[in-house]
Amino acid sequence: MTTQRTWRWLALFLVVDLVLVVLMFRHVSGDEDDAAPSTEPRPVESSEPADPVPATPAAAGLIEATEDVTVWGARGSCSAGSPVTLVRDADGAREELDPGITELLRLDVNDTGDVYVIGAGADCQAVELLLADGATEWVDPAGPIRRWHLTPGSATVTTPRGAVDPGCAPVSLVSEGAEGLVGCDDGSIRTSGDDGAIWEGAVVLEGLRSVARTGEGVVALAPADDCAVEFYRVDGAEAVQSGCVRPEASDGLVLLAASGDGYVAVVGDELLRSSDGATWEPIPVP
């Protein structure tokens, strides 16, 4: 009897001891797992990206040309108060013109060399000015302003309908009669055939600098991958590269105008001419 009871106590003791050993093993194993380094990759904290350097806005300006005469100048700003100076080139002979304005809104020139300007002074009110060939004084033509022009101090265009919004901020303007063409600071090219009531345009050229209209359609200047100033022909919703005006970048104005049967371009201080838009040659100054 005593022997059986002893064996029972011994068996119970062995079971309890076994349970304690198992619990202790699990506890030690768990501590080791917790202490083991994780093999999961840790996310790397990315540094804050640096603010991009803002691009220098293109200098806006206007240009007009005939076969022998080209006139151009920076647009300026009526509120800035800095005078706008025009350059007139006649067969390579150049002179500076001071129309007494601080913002250039429209520019025209005829075969005889007369220069017609719509501009604004510090009061941001549009005025007309005419400098006849050979004259030294600008005069104000009689009558109201009827021609298209950029609106002073505003991102609109003024037509016979009044100030109209082409859907972008225009920096380049060409018009004749009820038809107008603008190049915008966002690279879009927009046209209207009804004094600015309706505007259309599906072409966007990044870095657009200037637009012009010819009998063959719309042409423009903008940078390309391998050319700082590229000549484009705009056909519907496409802009096709036609020729490199200048491969290197240049500070200052980049302007384009139709001239007789060809084109003229101003790049910085250089005046260039082309008969087809593909090959460009500088016009030497005597």
Side-chain angles (χ1 to χ4, degrees):
M1 181 72 176
T2 303
T3 302
Q4 290 180 353
R5 183 174 297 175
T6 301
W7 281 110
R8 286 176 183 175
W9 281 108
L10 180 61
L12 180 60
F13 173 80
L14 291 175
V15 170
V16 171
D17 187 63
L18 180 61
V19 171
L20 291 175
V21 170
V22 170
L23 289 176
M24 182 178 296
F25 177 81
R26 286 183 178 179
H27 178 72
V28 172
S29 176
D31 289 345
E32 290 176 351
D33 289 343
D34 290 342
S38 172
T39 59
E40 291 294 324
R42 294 183 180 180
V44 178
E45 293 184 3
S46 60
S47 59
E48 288 293 327
D51 292 335
V53 177
T56 302
L62 298 178
I63 182 172
E64 279 296 323
T66 66
E67 189 170 358
D68 300 317
V69 180
T70 304
V71 181
W72 69 91
R75 181 177 179 183
S77 169
C78 59
S79 59
S82 300
V84 169
T85 300
L86 306 179
V87 179
R88 175 166 59 186
D89 182 287
D91 291 328
R94 294 187 190 176
E95 60 178 327
E96 291 189 350
L97 308 176
D98 181 9
I101 58 174
T102 57
E103 185 169 356
L104 179 63
L105 308 174
R106 183 187 175 102
L107 183 59
D108 288 292
V109 62
N110 59 26
D111 291 326
T112 63
D114 298 337
V115 180
Y116 172 86
V117 165
I118 299 179
D123 59 357
C124 290
Q125 297 299 308
V127 295
E128 286 183 299
L129 297 165
L130 173 65
L131 181 67
D133 183 42
T136 58
E137 298 292 332
W138 293 82
V139 298
D140 184 355
I145 300 175
R146 300 187 182 277
R147 303 189 194 194
W148 289 55
H149 58 275
L150 298 168
T151 307
S154 174
T156 62
V157 176
T158 299
T159 77
R161 300 177 61 92
V164 297
D165 182 3
C168 59
V171 295
S172 181
L173 167 68
V174 180
S175 72
E176 184 175 355
E179 297 183 351
L181 165 70
V182 296
C184 302
D185 64 354
D186 63 358
S188 60
I189 299 173
R190 301 184 61 79
T191 61
S192 175
D194 54 6
D195 282 331
I198 298 175
W199 291 87
E200 299 176 338
V203 173
V204 176
L205 279 172
E206 185 175 354
L208 176 69
R209 301 299 296 270
S210 188
V211 294
R213 189 194 297 275
T214 71
E216 300 176 353
V218 177
V219 291
L221 295 182
D225 290 340
D226 54 352
C227 178
V229 182
E230 178 75 22
F231 179 85
Y232 290 85
R233 296 184 184 276
V234 179
D235 183 12
E238 277 192 311
V240 181
Q241 292 179 231
S242 180
C244 185
V245 181
R246 184 186 175 99
E248 302 89 9
S250 176
D251 294 332
L253 297 171
V254 176
L255 305 172
L256 174 67
S259 172
D261 294 331
Y263 311 94
V264 291
V266 170
V267 181
D269 295 327
E270 192 172 33
L271 181 63
L272 303 101
R273 187 180 298 277
S274 175
S275 60
D276 56 6
T279 304
W280 292 82
E281 296 291 339
I283 299 175
V285 179

